[in-house]
Structure formats: structure tokens, C-alpha cells
Amino acid sequence: MEARDATPGALVNSTGEEQTATKDAAPKKETPQTKSKMEKVFGFRKEDLTSWHSLVTLLNRPTDPASLGIFRCLFGLLMVIDITQERGLSHLDFKYLDGAPVCRFPLFNVLQPLSLDWMYLVYVVMFFGALGIMLGCFYRLSCLMFISTYWYIFFLDKTTWNNHSYLYGLIGFQLTLMDGNRYWSIDGLRRPSIRNAHVPLWNYTLLRTQIFIVYFIAGIKKLDADWVEGYSMSYLAHHWLFDPFKVILPVELVNLLVVHGGGLVLDLTAGYLLFFDATRPYAFFFVSYFHCMNSQLFSIGMFSYTMLATSPLFCYADWPRKFFACFPEFLRAVLPLTSPDPQPSTSCVYNEIQSTTSKLRLKHKLGAIFTILYIIEQFFLPYSHFITQGYNNWTNGLYGYSWDMMVHSRSHQHVKITYKDGKTGEIGYLNPGVFTQTRRWKDHGDMLKQYATCLNQFLPRYNISDPEIYFDIWVSINERFQQRIFDPRVDVVKADWSPFRPNTWLMPLLVDLSPWRTKFQEIEGSLDNQTEIVFIADFPGLHLENFVSQDLGNTSISVLQGKVNVEIVEEKKNFTLQPGEQIKVPAGAYHKVYTVSEDPSCYMYIYVNTTEAALQENFTKLLELQERVRNGTETEPLPPELQPLITADDEGSELNATDPIVQLFLKRQRRMKEVKKRREAGALERLERFAVKKYYTIRRGFLMTAIAMRNLVVGLPSLEQLTREVAFANMKEPQAEANQDERLKDEVGHGEL
């Protein structure tokens, strides 16, 4: 809360009679009084917090609308862009294709998507709502259009939830209740009475506190031991953005001090540093650098830019007037107002010169009550997981509202879905992810329950009656052992699940084995580049059934802790292993590893991808041969199958290669050359490539929307016409047409259908 932007005046007198909301009616300004030290630092006096009346007066104190108006415009613009991208307008037809057998994961099972054309209409309403927010046009209606459709789409698919998508919905809700159209808005041009009018201080208090919570709670969550010890995001230290730090620090310290330590300190302090005048310039520099880096490190859409847009909210509310006053006079007609005096507003409480008390209106009290309750709720919600215990897995709660950003990283080694026919007892296996467009169900018990129920409904179409569904999912969180997350012996279709009770078929995270991570690094450091290793932990009474591919030669199991029994299925042999013992398992065959000790067992697979190693060896020989041919040191004539090496730089030369190894080698060279060209491209070329890509993405979204709106208005055209229209919408830039389908499948995770 900050009251530095307040100006004196009066709209409510001591008897509670409303005065005319005009500049003439406002009382004369009294001589400025000397501010106390607290008022200079925090923007309000201690007396403002001593009673309910003074607190309500403080929260409704008149404040310049300029900063709020600029933020409203920027937020609306970013949401317009976000709708075409992260909200999915550009590939909406892939996600909500009518009649597709797709399992969905809504927050409430009664929520279902509309037909495809009507889903496009939902997005149209959301788009025009965001556009109206940006322009300040029919502001309340635009906000309602945006948040109603946004939250519908948000609740419709839990698999897309993340912290920043949740934040967008919160900000949209807050703006609905605020006077965000008082500055630089079309509503202000239509209604002079609200143009450049004061807004109550609680409008800024809510937004500033919300952003403070985003930073501060994210910092509190990063006090987790895994983050402090550098295990959460260790792979980031290898990104090129951290190369400047590697000049003076080894990569291990870059990971520990810069990635994890820097992220922790920034999140804990950013909200405080942005609040105070003396520290705000430094905060602007660090948070701007932080968000610009995040925009390159992660695929998080408009989040980085939205957070950049929130930073000026912590400045004095009249900063836009001073900023735009620096522009030439001929631009003033299209720029925001630079007039220093906002007009009075009935939304604010003004103190008269002679009076120390004034009667407050109901809306002033409601605004104060809402502000206090909302802030309390936002501080409470990230720690409310003791209520919604059914959503707790190894991490707490429905991911998205806890602000535990990037604290946990996961890798999945093994996923097996087993079905059992309820009548015949027949057992079979399903492709992981079948009937879904996402992989996120693997980590969340509530989604797994929905997925199993959906499979139970779909499989009878394939002559599988009353199917039982079992999941065997192996996950490593923050570089721990790969271990089971859910009990593979439980039929999830019939398993009990409630949002308010702990999940009984969730396996515990083996945190006692976390110290082994230091040993992992030592073991991995002792291996050569061709040897791979996987660390496994399993529970007593369970076993891992595994198949070793023919590509993986010299695969062995080495026990680190506990006792295991290895069964070679085809050979019908069993071997018992103690810690420190190992056994080689045959390639191209199944084996089972039983944990027979009383405590969890820990073991590791050590293997070499012999096929890849042989391929790399062949590539090395071909590269050496190609270099000798180019520099003229190769004296022997090349056989016909190696002739394409001479013309490797010509377009299409790989098409003439008959040897598959040579063909793969040439394709790899072309790909590496293209990657190098992209990395070495200049700023203008990068900008052009980015603009072209975004143009075709947005173009497809708008064209498909136009087709859907036409279908709703006049009905479906002939199949031939619809095919031509969709093909035109799918048109890509020339260099992308070759792999258009694959890229789109990867983007929406639709390739498994």
C-alpha cells in the first residue's frame, strides 16, 4: 500500500453531503505540511492505520490514474498477443477437433469444450475483451468478456496450468473492479466526466501487492533444500546466456551462485526494492535483466513482458505525464495527457481543509474490505494445500497458484500402461499418452484418475470389456533416483480419490536417498562420453520389468544399496545381488529386477548405445575422408556410394546418396550448417525470421477463426471448399513447409493420436 500519489481535495463534506465532481467544487489546496519520516518512506502516516475510518480513507485516497491507465493498455496488448499464441488460437482446431477420441482434464468433470466453431467464438469474445481493455473501450464490458472466457478456458484444461496463466486471470479480475479507463482510453473520449479522473489508492495497492506476492512467495518457495543446493535447474548453467559468468566462474559455481543463488535473492528482495524510492532504480535494472533472460531461457509466452509491464506500477503514479511531456509538441495529440491536474472522482475520498472527519460511502468501505480480504486470500492460498490434499503429489497442490516457479524439474525414464479385460482377464499394454494431447498427467494423481476413467470408457470400443487400468510411472525429481510415483498394483479406475483426502496410491518420495546425488556426480564424471547411466530406486515387494534394446550393448546392473534378485526371463535364470555386485543383462531380451530387501533398493544401469557409437565412428571417418578430398590429399578414387561427399554443398545432393550412412551424414551436415547459420545471423535477420514466424502463426489463427465464424453464420460449405480454405490458412513460409506437419504436431502434442 502506498499513498505518495495522493492530492488533497473534497467530494464528501463533514455532514456527508456529496459535492459536485468538478474542479470548481474541489476545495482550495492548503499549504503543504512537513511530512514525517514514515510518510516520506512509506507514503502514509501512522495515524492512517489507527482506525477503520482512517484506513478506508487512506485506501480510497485520490491517486493519479496515469500509471494505471498505461498498465491497462500494456496488459490488454499482451493478452491480445497471448490469445493467438499460448492460449492456442493458432492451433485450436487440433486441440478441440470435433469427434476426436481425446481424454481431457478439466478442473470440474462437468466442464466440457463446445463444438469447434463455438470454441472459436469463445476465443473471439476473449480477443475482443482483451482489445477493449487495451483501448479502454466499453471497459467494464470488455473486462467481463475477457475474464469470463479466459477462466472458462483455464478451468477447461488443467494440463496447461502454470503460474503466469493464473496471474493473467487474477490481473484481469482485478482490472474489472478498478477504474482503469480514466486515462488514455476511448471511454474517456466518450465520457468527459471520467477522463483524467482520480482513482482510489486501493487500485494501485492491489496490483502492487499482487506483484509483490508473485516475487516474494516465489522466493520463499525457493528456500527449498533442492533449490538452495543447486539441484532444481542445474541444466540452465550450460545455456549460452550464462557464458559471461563462466569467464570468471566454473560452471558448477555458475549453477549454484548465479542460477540458484541469484534467483533466490532476486525473488526474495524484488518486491521490497521496487517499493522504495532509493532502491527502485537498482530493482528496475535487475528485474528487467532477469525477465529478459527468462524470455530466452523458457517458453513462457508473454509472462516476461507482463512482469516488465508491472514494474512501473511501483513508481509514482504520475510518471507517464512526465515521460510523455518530453515528446515533441506535434505528437501530443496521439499521446496520453500530460496535464498535471486530474479531475475529482466520486470513487475517491477527499478530506476538507477544515474537517478531520468525513462520512464514507458504502462503495468506499466495500473497496477497502475487498482489498484486505483479497490480499489475505492471496497470502493464504499458496499454503492451503492441507485443505486440497487430494491434489498433493510429491509437490503440493494444483500447480499454478503456489508461485513455486521452476523449483522442481522432472525426468521420466519409464511409463507403462497395462489394461486387463474385466471379463476375459486378458492383459495388454497401451501406448503411453494414447487418446491424449499432453504428457502432464504422469505426475498428478487427479489427472491420472481422469485419464484412467476416460480409458475405461474408450477401450470397450476395441472389444475390451470393463477394463482395469494400471500405471507404472518412473520419475526422477530434481536429479534424484528414478522411482515409482504411483502404486502399479492399483486399478486406478476403481481407486478412491477425493480432492480433500490424501491420495492412498501415491508412493512416497524417497527423500532419505537424496544424499546419493553427490555420489551420482562422481560416478557420472568417471565415465566416458559413450557410456550412459540411469539410477533406480524401488520399494520392497515390487519389481521392474525392463527390455534392453539391441542397440544397447554391454548393459549391466550394479547394486548400490539393498538387495535385488535379477531374473533373465528367456533364460529362466535368477541372480541375487548385494551392494557392490553387478551383472550383465542380455540385449534384445526382457529381464526383471525384484527388490527383496526390507528397505528400498538402489541400483544403476550402465550401458553403451553401440549403434550410436558405431554411427559416430562412421561419421568421423566420413568427415576425415571429406576433408582429404577437399584439400586434395586423398589419392584414391572414391567408390560410387561415396561420390556425394564431393558435392555435399549442393542442394539435394543427399538425394543421390545410395548408402544410408552417407545419406544420414550429409543430412546431419546440412542441419548443423543451418543451425550455425541461424546462430551467427545478425540482429535484423533474426528479427525478420521472428516476425515471419509470428506472422504466419497469427495469420493461421485469424483465418481459421474467420472460417469458423462463417460456418456459424451461414453453415458449412462443401468439403472441397473447406479443404481449400484450411490449406490456405495452413500456408507457411517457404523454408518451413517441408516439416510443417511434424512441427505442428510437436507444438500441440497431437502426434500420439
Side-chain angles (χ1 to χ4, degrees):
M1 178 168 62
E2 188 175 8
R4 301 170 306 184
D5 314 302
T7 57
L11 274 184
V12 182
N13 62 20
S14 58
T15 61
E17 297 176 354
E18 184 180 350
Q19 299 183 2
T20 306
T22 63
K23 291 184 179 179
D24 295 335
K28 297 178 182 179
K29 297 179 181 179
E30 62 178 328
T31 304
Q33 299 179 354
T34 303
K35 294 183 178 181
S36 66
K37 185 175 181 180
M38 180 177 179
E39 192 171 3
K40 290 179 180 178
V41 175
F42 294 100
F44 56 88
R45 300 168 301 168
K46 182 173 65 175
E47 293 76 14
D48 292 329
L49 306 178
T50 56
S51 68
W52 171 246
H53 181 279
S54 59
L55 178 60
V56 175
T57 302
L58 172 65
L59 289 173
N60 289 276
R61 188 175 292 177
T63 311
D64 197 307
S67 184
L68 180 62
I70 295 299
F71 173 73
R72 179 216 78 230
C73 183
L74 292 175
F75 177 76
L77 173 63
L78 292 169
M79 291 304 98
V80 166
I81 300 172
D82 177 80
I83 289 168
T84 64
Q85 297 184 63
E86 193 171 1
R87 293 318 112 202
L89 180 62
S90 63
H91 53 259
L92 196 64
D93 52 321
F94 282 80
K95 189 171 184 178
Y96 297 111
L97 185 63
D98 291 339
V102 177
C103 296
R104 304 196 185 278
F105 304 90
L107 178 61
F108 308 106
N109 290 327
V110 295
L111 275 178
Q112 293 297 323
L114 306 174
S115 63
L116 179 60
D117 290 339
W118 285 100
M119 286 302 298
Y120 271 107
L121 180 60
V122 170
Y123 272 72
V124 167
V125 173
M126 182 167 58
F127 178 85
F128 279 107
L131 188 64
I133 292 174
M134 181 185 76
L135 299 176
C137 182
F138 298 101
Y139 176 69
R140 304 286 183 202
L141 177 61
S142 295
C143 287
L144 289 173
M145 290 168 59
F146 175 74
I147 65 168
S148 60
T149 51
Y150 185 93
W151 283 104
Y152 166 68
I153 292 169
F154 186 79
F155 289 143
L156 198 58
D157 188 6
K158 289 183 292 187
T159 66
T160 62
W161 283 19
N162 49 46
N163 290 279
H164 60 268
S165 295
Y166 170 62
L167 178 64
Y168 298 162
L170 292 181
I171 293 176
F173 170 67
Q174 292 176 33
L175 288 176
T176 305
L177 305 177
M178 296 177 181
D179 297 331
N181 60 341
R182 293 333 192 223
Y183 185 79
W184 206 30
S185 68
I186 292 178
D187 285 348
L189 297 177
R190 296 189 305 109
R191 299 168 56 195
S193 61
I194 68 169
R195 187 186 186 192
N196 196 30
H198 281 130
V199 298
L201 178 63
W202 67 263
N203 286 196
Y204 286 96
T205 302
L206 268 186
L207 287 170
R208 289 166 177 165
T209 306
Q210 183 69 74
I211 302 308
F212 172 85
I213 289 173
V214 172
Y215 282 119
F216 185 70
I217 299 298
I220 294 294
K221 296 299 180 78
K222 286 181 174 63
L223 291 174
D224 180 86
D226 285 356
W227 184 276
V228 173
E229 295 173 12
Y231 290 110
S232 296
M233 292 281 127
S234 58
Y235 66 90
L236 288 183
H238 299 280
H239 197 279
W240 63 266
L241 280 172
F242 294 97
D243 286 349
F245 299 101
K246 298 172 193 172
V247 175
I248 56 176
L249 294 173
V251 68
E252 293 80 9
L253 288 182
V254 171
N255 169 55
L256 185 62
L257 300 180
V258 180
V259 176
H260 291 88
L264 171 62
V265 173
L266 186 137
D267 279 338
L268 283 175
T269 61
Y272 295 102
L273 298 179
L274 284 168
F275 184 85
F276 296 107
D277 294 345
T279 56
R280 191 174 302 115
Y282 305 102
F284 262 60
F285 172 79
F286 285 110
V287 300
S288 299
Y289 183 72
F290 174 73
H291 292 305
C292 288
M293 289 185 69
N294 283 345
S295 69
Q296 300 300 310
L297 288 170
F298 308 108
S299 298
I300 50 178
M302 295 293 106
F303 178 54
S304 298
Y305 310 106
T306 302
M307 292 303 292
L308 288 172
T310 63
S311 295
L313 286 170
F314 291 86
C315 299
Y316 287 90
D318 63 347
W319 72 263
R321 303 181 190 276
K322 300 175 182 178
F323 176 75
F324 290 109
C326 300
F327 284 76
E329 186 70 29
F330 69 90
L331 294 176
R332 299 287 174 83
V334 295
L335 292 177
L337 290 173
T338 57
S339 171
D341 297 321
Q343 63 172 322
S345 168
T346 56
S347 299
C348 304
V349 175
Y350 297 79
N351 289 323
E352 287 191 276
I353 300 174
Q354 295 85 5
S355 177
T356 57
T357 61
S358 61
K359 186 175 180 180
L360 303 176
R361 291 170 144 195
L362 177 61
K363 69 176 181 179
H364 300 142
K365 297 177 182 179
L366 290 177
I369 292 172
F370 171 75
T371 300
I372 295 170
L373 292 180
Y374 181 86
I375 291 174
I376 292 174
E377 177 263 345
Q378 282 296 300
F379 273 107
F380 168 75
L381 200 57
Y383 299 97
S384 63
H385 310 305
F386 64 93
I387 299 175
T388 55
Q389 298 183 68
Y391 293 102
N392 297 342
N393 297 288
W394 288 348
T395 56
N396 285 330
L398 282 165
Y399 184 77
Y401 64 81
S402 300
W403 312 121
D404 52 350
M405 292 175 278
M406 305 301 174
V407 177
H408 306 104
S409 60
R410 297 175 176 85
S411 64
H412 299 82
Q413 184 69 26
H414 178 73
V415 179
K416 183 172 71 173
I417 305 177
T418 306
Y419 70 82
K420 181 179 180 180
D421 192 301
K423 291 184 178 180
T424 66
E426 177 188 359
I427 294 177
Y429 303 95
L430 299 175
N431 178 31
V434 65
F435 302 126
T436 70
Q437 300 171 325
T438 178
R439 301 179 180 91
R440 203 164 179 184
W441 51 267
K442 293 183 287 189
D443 300 311
H444 301 271
D446 56 304
M447 297 187 199
L448 207 68
K449 177 67 175 179
Q450 290 175 303
Y451 189 27
T453 304
C454 178
L455 291 174
N456 180 262
Q457 296 169 355
F458 280 157
L459 290 182
R461 303 179 187 179
Y462 302 90
N463 299 320
I464 302 172
S465 304
D466 193 21
E468 301 173 6
I469 307 295
Y470 302 89
F471 294 93
D472 194 11
I473 302 171
W474 293 74
V475 187
S476 169
I477 186 168
N478 291 346
E479 302 184 15
R480 289 182 174 84
F481 282 99
Q482 290 279 343
Q483 66 157 96
R484 288 183 167 96
I485 184 171
F486 300 109
D487 193 332
R489 299 164 294 189
V490 173
D491 173 17
V492 181
V493 176
K494 299 176 183 177
D496 181 53
W497 182 86
S498 167
F500 306 110
R501 295 194 301 271
N503 189 343
T504 57
W505 33 278
L506 173 73
M507 304 295 281
L509 178 64
L510 298 173
V511 293
D512 293 342
L513 302 178
S514 298
W516 274 95
R517 289 180 292 190
T518 304
K519 186 66 174 177
F520 294 170
Q521 296 173 354
E522 297 176 4
I523 296 174
E524 290 172 340
S526 65
L527 303 176
D528 57 50
N529 294 331
Q530 294 182 344
T531 304
E532 301 289 341
I533 191 166
V534 178
F535 298 96
I536 304 291
D538 203 4
F539 295 91
L542 296 179
H543 72 275
L544 169 65
E545 183 179 14
N546 205 357
F547 177 82
V548 179
S549 171
Q550 290 284 7
D551 296 330
L552 306 182
N554 196 26
T555 300
S556 62
I557 298 174
S558 179
V559 178
L560 302 172
Q561 178 178 307
K563 184 178 179 182
V564 302
N565 186 286
V566 180
E567 177 188 355
I568 310 301
V569 177
E570 290 185 0
E571 299 178 5
K572 297 182 180 180
K573 294 181 179 180
N574 290 276
F575 303 90
T576 300
L577 301 181
Q578 303 280 355
E581 298 178 345
Q582 68 176 27
I583 184 176
K584 186 175 180 179
V585 292
Y590 280 95
H591 66 271
K592 297 179 181 179
V593 183
Y594 296 85
T595 298
V596 295
S597 55
E598 295 182 357
D599 297 323
S601 65
C602 306
Y603 52 93
M604 58 182 177
Y605 280 92
I606 305 174
Y607 61 93
V608 176
N609 191 326
T610 52
T611 302
E612 183 179 354
L615 188 63
Q616 290 296 333
E617 184 179 354
N618 287 328
F619 281 176
T620 302
K621 293 179 179 179
L622 289 174
L623 182 61
E624 293 173 352
L625 177 60
Q626 188 181 55
E627 289 297 325
R628 292 198 301 269
V629 170
R630 287 176 176 174
N631 59 32
T633 58
E634 177 61 35
T635 58
E636 298 292 331
L638 295 182
E641 64 270 17
L642 298 181
Q643 288 293 328
L645 294 175
I646 302 176
T647 58
D649 295 331
D650 297 338
E651 292 294 332
S653 61
E654 70 274 8
L655 300 178
N656 299 324
T658 57
D659 186 285
I661 302 297
V662 175
Q663 188 178 47
L664 192 60
F665 171 75
L666 294 176
K667 286 183 177 180
R668 184 189 184 200
Q669 276 198 320
R670 293 271 174 92
R671 192 162 53 248
M672 293 175 63
K673 185 178 180 180
E674 180 63 26
V675 170
K676 182 179 179 181
K677 180 181 177 182
R678 284 175 171 266
R679 287 180 177 175
E680 296 177 351
L684 289 178
E685 186 178 346
R686 288 172 180 261
L687 180 61
E688 179 185 6
R689 189 166 61 235
F690 173 81
V692 169
K693 179 181 178 181
K694 294 303 178 185
Y695 164 75
Y696 280 99
T697 300
I698 296 172
R699 173 186 179 275
R700 185 182 193 277
F702 284 146
L703 288 177
M704 294 298 295
T705 301
I707 294 172
M709 295 303 98
R710 189 274 317 279
N711 294 344
L712 290 176
V713 174
V714 300
L716 284 169
S718 65
L719 182 60
E720 293 78 9
Q721 180 182 341
L722 190 60
T723 302
R724 290 195 303 269
E725 291 172 347
V726 174
F728 179 71
N730 286 336
M731 186 177 66
K732 291 281 185 178
E733 63 271 29
Q735 62 268 30
E737 288 180 352
N739 57 353
Q740 168 188 344
D741 293 336
E742 290 301 321
R743 282 170 50 184
L744 195 55
K745 286 179 181 178
D746 291 341
E747 182 181 1
V748 299
H750 200 76
E752 294 170 330
L753 286 183

